[in-house]
Amino acid sequence: MKTVSRVLNDEPNVQPQMRERVMAAVAELNYRPNVYARSLARSRSYLLGLLYYASSAAFVAGVQRGATGRCRELGYHLVVESLEDGAVDVEPQLNHMISALRPDGMILAPPVCDNPQVLRTLAAAHMPCVLISPGSAGPALARVSMDDFRAAQEMTSYLIGLGHRRIGFISGDPAQAATPRRLAGYRAALSVHGLTEDPTLVVEGDFRFRSGLEGCDRLLALPVPPTAIFASNDDMAMGAVVAAQRRGLSVPADLSVAGFDDSQWASLVWPQLTTVRQPLAEMAVAAVDLLVSRTSKPVPAALPGAGAGAGGEATGLPVDAAEPVLPHALVQRGSTAPPRR
C-alpha cells in the first residue's frame, strides 16, 4: 500500500516498472483519489484560486481554460473569483475566501496582479501567489509573462512592411501594465523604420469593444485618417472593424485592422482578424505548475504600504527563481492588406 501511495502522490524512489504496474491497475479500476482524504493526510486543500477583474472576457477565458485543464491533470481544483478592481471590500472578500476554502495558492491575472491592496492581503495571509503579466515594480513573487513590447513592435513593423505609413494605435487601460509596453513597442517600430510619430494617431481605449469602436471613429474623423489601425487587444480591434463598416469602408481594402491576444473570436469574425497570439493558456499552465511545485519558505519582500510586523512579507517563489517569458506569435489573417495606391 505504501508503494501505491507513493505512486499516486507522484513521489520519487519508485521503480519505473512498479510505477507502470500501479498506474495500469488504477486505470483498470477507474480509481479516483479522494481529494478530501488527501487534504487531511497532507495538510493541503488541493485547491488553487484564480483572481481576476474582467476588463476583457476573452483574456480571462483563455487564462481560465489553461488553468482549469492543468489543475485537472495534477489532481487539483480551480476556484475562480472575480474582484472589482479598486473596490473597498476587497480585503474582507479575500479573507473570507481564504478562511472558507484554504487554497494552496493563488493565480493573479491582470490588473488584479498589480493591486496593492490585494497583494498586501495575500501577503498577510502568507498565501503563495503567481502573477500573470504584472508591472515591473511588483513584489518579489513568481510571475509568468510575455514580451508585450516586442510583440507590439513586430505587429507595427508588419503593417509598415505592407506599405502603411499612417498607422493608428488604440491603447488599452492605462492602469494595466501591458498598456505602456505595447504603446512603447508601437513607437519603437515607427522609429526603427524612420517614421515620425503623429500624436493624433494614438487614442486611448480600455480593452473593451466600445472603446475600440469609439477610438476608430476618432481616428477616421482626422483630416488625414490612417490606412491601418492596430488595437491593443482583439475586443477593441473588433470594435474598430465595426466602426469602419458603419462608415461604408471595407476591411482590409480601405482600412487594415490588427489586434492583440488571438482570442477565440478573432477567427470567427469576418474578415478574420490579424493579431498577436498571446500565450494565455500556456501562461496559466505555467502559473499552476509554479504553485504546485512551490517552496514553503516565505520570501522577504516589502509590499507597497505594508510595514514591518504587519504581514509585509511576500510568500511564494523568488522572481529570479521563476520568471518564465513565454513566446508569442504574429497571426496573419484577412483583416490586413497593403493600402490602396
Side-chain angles (χ1 to χ4, degrees), residues 286-311:
V288 171
D289 287 343
L290 286 172
L291 281 178
V292 171
S293 63
R294 75 193 189 283
T295 62
S296 59
K297 295 180 180 180
V299 179
L303 296 181

Side-chain angles (χ1 to χ4, degrees), residues 164 220 226-228 244 248-256 338-340:
H164 296 280
L220 294 179
T227 60
L249 299 178
S250 173
V251 175
D254 299 315
L255 178 71
S256 286
R340 289 187 186 275

Side-chain angles (χ1 to χ4, degrees), residues 190-321:
L190 295 180
S191 176
V192 166
H193 291 276
L195 299 178
T196 302
E197 180 188 350
D198 182 349
T200 65
L201 290 177
V202 177
V203 298
E204 184 178 299
D206 61 9
F207 289 129
R208 292 182 173 88
F209 175 90
R210 177 165 292 279
S211 70
L213 190 152
E214 294 171 350
C216 182
D217 275 337
R218 289 174 56 190
L219 291 169
L220 294 179
L222 292 172
V224 182
T227 60
I229 291 178
F230 176 22
S232 287
N233 78 341
D234 289 346
D235 290 11
M236 296 192 300
M238 289 185 286
V241 170
V242 171
Q245 292 173 343
R246 283 182 177 180
R247 290 171 172 261
L249 299 178
S250 173
V251 175
D254 299 315
L255 178 71
S256 286
V257 178
F260 200 113
D261 282 342
D262 195 25
S263 66
Q264 59 181 339
W265 304 112
S267 59
L268 298 179
V269 297
W270 190 259
Q272 293 181 323
L273 198 62
T274 293
T275 185
V276 172
R277 177 174 294 148
Q278 183 170 195
L280 298 177
E282 292 85 350
M283 288 194 291
V285 168
V288 171
D289 287 343
L290 286 172
L291 281 178
V292 171
S293 63
R294 75 193 189 283
T295 62
S296 59
K297 295 180 180 180
V299 179
L303 296 181
E313 289 189 342
T315 303
L317 295 172
V319 172
D320 57 0

Side-chain angles (χ1 to χ4, degrees), residues 22-171:
V22 171
M23 294 309 297
V26 166
E28 182 178 350
L29 296 172
N30 195 28
Y31 173 75
R32 294 291 183 271
N34 186 307
V35 175
Y36 180 67
R38 290 171 68 201
S39 66
L40 289 178
R42 306 187 70 181
S43 300
R44 299 175 71 175
S45 67
Y46 292 91
L47 296 175
L48 298 180
L50 170 62
L51 303 179
Y52 76 95
Y53 167 56
S55 57
S56 171
F59 184 98
V60 174
V63 171
Q64 184 174 340
R65 183 171 61 253
T68 300
R70 187 56 173 159
C71 282
R72 187 179 297 118
E73 291 173 358
L74 298 176
Y76 281 70
H77 290 272
L78 186 72
V79 179
V80 182
E81 187 79 13
S82 174
L83 297 177
E84 184 178 349
D85 199 40
V88 295
D89 61 342
V90 164
E91 184 174 350
Q93 280 187 63
L94 284 177
N95 285 331
H96 175 74
M97 178 184 180
I98 292 170
S99 62
L101 301 175
R102 309 186 75 83
D104 294 331
M106 292 283 195
I107 300 169
L108 277 62
V112 175
C113 60
D114 291 314
N115 185 310
Q117 188 179 5
V118 170
L119 296 174
R120 284 196 300 268
T121 303
L122 295 177
H126 301 287
M127 178 60 59
C129 300
V130 176
L131 316 180
I132 295 181
S133 295
S136 59
L141 295 178
R143 59 192 67 192
V144 294
S145 61
M146 63 161 288
D147 194 335
D148 289 284
F149 172 88
R150 185 173 297 276
Q153 185 179 30
E154 289 176 4
M155 178 59 79
T156 308
S157 294
Y158 163 71
L159 294 173
I160 294 171
L162 288 177
H164 296 280
R165 294 299 178 265
R166 287 187 61 78
I167 301 171
F169 185 81
I170 305 176
S171 67

